[in-house]
Amino acid sequence: MAEAYVGEPLALSVDVGELLTVAAEEAGITDPAELYERFVSWTWIDAGGRR
C-alpha cells in the first residue's frame, strides 16, 4: 500500500485507519486501539526509519 500512496502519507493513514475499524469488527475486537500499531502507526515512518 505504501507504494500506492507515495507522497500522500495522510491519505494512506486515513485509508488504513478505516481498514483498522473493519478488521477490528471482523475479528471481534471491541477496542480498535489494540490494532493501531499494526494498521496505522507504520504509515508515519519515513525512509530513514523515523516517525
Side-chain angles (χ1 to χ4, degrees):
M1 285 187 78
E3 290 178 6
Y5 289 88
V6 171
E8 298 291 336
L10 183 57
L12 174 61
S13 294
V14 169
D15 286 350
V16 296
E18 291 173 1
L19 292 173
L20 178 146
T21 304
V22 172
E25 289 174 4
E26 288 182 2
I29 296 172
T30 57
D31 183 8
E34 293 179 32
L35 296 176
Y36 177 82
E37 286 293 321
R38 188 175 200 176
F39 275 78
V40 182
S41 68
W42 68 270
T43 64
W44 290 101
I45 297 174
D46 67 16
R50 298 176 300 264
R51 286 188 185 181

